[in-house]
Amino acid sequence: MSTLAVDGLEVRYAAVRALRDVSLTAAPGSVTALLGANGAGKTSLLRTVAGLNRPTVGRVLLDGDDITGLPAHRLARMGICLVPEGRQLFAELTVAENLRLGLHGTGIRSERDVTERIDTVCATFPALREALPRRAGLLSGGQQQMVAIGRALVRRPRVLLLDEPSLGLAPRLVTEILATVGRLSADGVTVLLAEQNAAAALRCAHRGVVLRGGAVVRDEAAAALLHDDEVSHHYLGAATPSAPAPPRGLPSILREEL
């Protein structure tokens, strides 16, 4: 079980400041929900923790050790695993092959060990067992999300970073995916969950962090935020306010990341 902390993070894309003085702590075996409108900085925060963005200021700590600026492949070996928005599976490969790719860089090569890891994923997501020989691109959206999470789970992560896992899924599947997230945390995995479905996220989370304009504006127990009138108005009921458009001329890849 691991504690993840970020301290005073600032991240910029060219002249745009995506994160400003962000600090939070994710306790061992807990789910921390990251809430906010599009453009609030949720994805930027997850990518920074995963080593895909380098902060201009601030630190990322894992169990008190400063891991700021380490490359993504080293952080993955240390047990920090990102499940990106949009799943990003290899559509032409089978489910089993996508799961095997999750073991890249772990040193696990024996067929027995690989099979054991995949069996564990199938125990978490039983729907995947019969789908193992199928091409990932032929699966339903819910099954594809299970594969994306399973690709991280084969590494037996200490910290799991989930970016919009409910995107495009039916309500029943959202409930199933988030229930699985809750079980993973109960088994000792520390989870950071960025999610537009704020009500569902807060119901499965221990703590909620609200981001606005790249800064933390609320950091409280999830149950308190779930029943807070201000949070309900902005994130649980009324339409989410539109995020300001990124500056014109910013490269498209950066516009998507904000």
Side-chain angles (χ1 to χ4, degrees):
M1 299 177 73
S2 295
T3 299
L4 177 75
V6 299
D7 178 24
L9 279 189
E10 177 179 294
V11 171
R12 289 180 177 270
Y13 300 117
V16 177
R17 187 164 59 171
L19 297 176
R20 57 192 76 197
D21 195 27
V22 171
S23 297
L24 62 86
T25 298
S30 69
V31 178
T32 300
L34 303 177
L35 311 178
N38 289 330
K42 303 185 299 297
T43 293
S44 292
L45 177 56
L46 292 185
R47 286 176 59 87
T48 303
V49 172
L52 296 171
N53 292 340
R54 190 177 183 91
T56 52
V57 177
R59 301 184 301 163
V60 180
L61 305 171
L62 181 64
D63 291 332
D65 295 327
D66 191 340
I67 58 172
T68 312
L70 292 180
H73 68 275
R74 285 191 58 187
L75 293 177
R77 287 172 183 165
M78 294 171 67
I80 298 180
C81 297
L82 172 66
V83 180
E85 180 181 349
R87 299 147 199 164
Q88 298 186 23
L89 301 179
F90 292 90
E92 296 302 314
L93 298 183
T94 67
V95 170
E97 288 167 339
N98 272 276
L99 294 177
R100 285 172 177 266
L101 284 172
L103 291 169
H104 178 72
T106 63
I108 295 172
R109 294 187 176 88
S110 78
E111 193 61 31
R112 177 178 179 179
D113 289 341
V114 171
T115 299
E116 180 185 354
R117 297 291 182 109
I118 292 177
D119 283 345
T120 300
V121 170
C122 291
T124 302
F125 296 115
L128 294 185
R129 189 170 297 280
E130 291 185 1
L132 287 175
R134 296 182 62 194
R135 286 191 296 173
L138 300 178
L139 303 182
S140 68
Q143 289 174 318
Q144 289 184 7
Q145 188 61 68
M146 293 174 190
V147 177
I149 297 174
R151 186 174 55 189
L153 295 184
V154 293
R155 303 184 72 92
R156 297 182 178 167
R158 297 159 66 186
V159 176
L160 185 62
L161 310 172
L162 294 169
D163 197 357
E164 304 289 357
S166 76
L167 190 66
L169 301 187
R172 178 183 62 81
L173 289 172
V174 173
T175 299
E176 182 178 345
I177 292 291
L178 293 182
T180 300
V181 171
R183 290 193 294 271
L184 291 172
S185 73
D187 289 339
V189 181
T190 302
V191 180
L192 269 186
L193 168 66
E195 182 56 69
Q196 282 287 321
N197 190 335
L202 288 173
R203 289 190 187 103
C204 87
H206 301 88
R207 196 154 194 88
V209 175
V210 180
L211 293 166
R212 183 181 300 152
V216 174
V217 294
R218 302 284 294 273
D219 183 350
E220 301 176 29
L225 290 177
L226 186 61
H227 299 99
D228 183 275
D229 290 341
E230 180 185 0
V231 173
S232 295
H233 174 71
H234 289 291
Y235 302 106
L236 309 184
T240 304
S242 298
R248 297 182 66 180
L250 191 65
S252 60
I253 189 171
L254 301 187
R255 294 171 67 91
E256 293 172 2
E257 287 303 329
L258 291 178

